[in-house]
Amino acid sequence: MATREYFDHHSPEGEGPGDRYRDHDHNDRSYGENIAFEQPGPTISPTELAERIVDGWMDSPGHRENILETQFEAEGIGLYTRPDGTVFVTQNFK
């Protein structure tokens, strides 16, 4: 997302989280994905940034549902920071 200038669960080609899971041999029907981006500025601490992102997810019904879903057994988090300081975060559940 960061290098291709989009922010969405689906790529510009239309591939979504399910496609990405299948591309990596995860053929389960149950998966979830949360995404976030922030332009935090130079004075925010990593802890404050993480809290801001998680608070945003918890304030969103769909994202909160992913986080609290009991059927998910694993979680992965990826983070990328662009040179301008914009932070992109993806949280995947399986």
Side-chain angles (χ1 to χ4, degrees), residues 8-90:
D8 197 290
H9 292 282
H10 290 82
S11 73
E13 295 76 31
E15 292 183 337
D19 299 304
R20 290 187 289 277
Y21 274 83
R22 282 187 295 280
D23 288 347
H24 295 281
D25 296 323
H26 295 288
N27 296 315
D28 299 15
R29 290 182 185 208
S30 61
Y31 58 82
E33 178 180 76
N34 291 341
I35 59 175
F37 86 95
E38 291 282 340
Q39 295 174 311
T43 60
I44 192 169
S45 74
T47 300
E48 291 170 317
L49 177 60
E51 288 174 351
R52 183 187 298 179
I53 290 169
V54 172
D55 287 348
W57 285 335
M58 292 303 284
D59 288 341
S60 164
H63 295 102
R64 180 183 181 88
E65 184 178 335
N66 278 341
I67 292 170
L68 299 178
E69 178 57 62
T70 59
Q71 73 179 358
F72 295 140
E73 298 174 351
E75 169 193 19
I77 297 177
L79 182 137
Y80 179 83
T81 304
R82 287 197 311 207
D84 70 359
T86 303
V87 176
F88 289 77
V89 182
T90 302

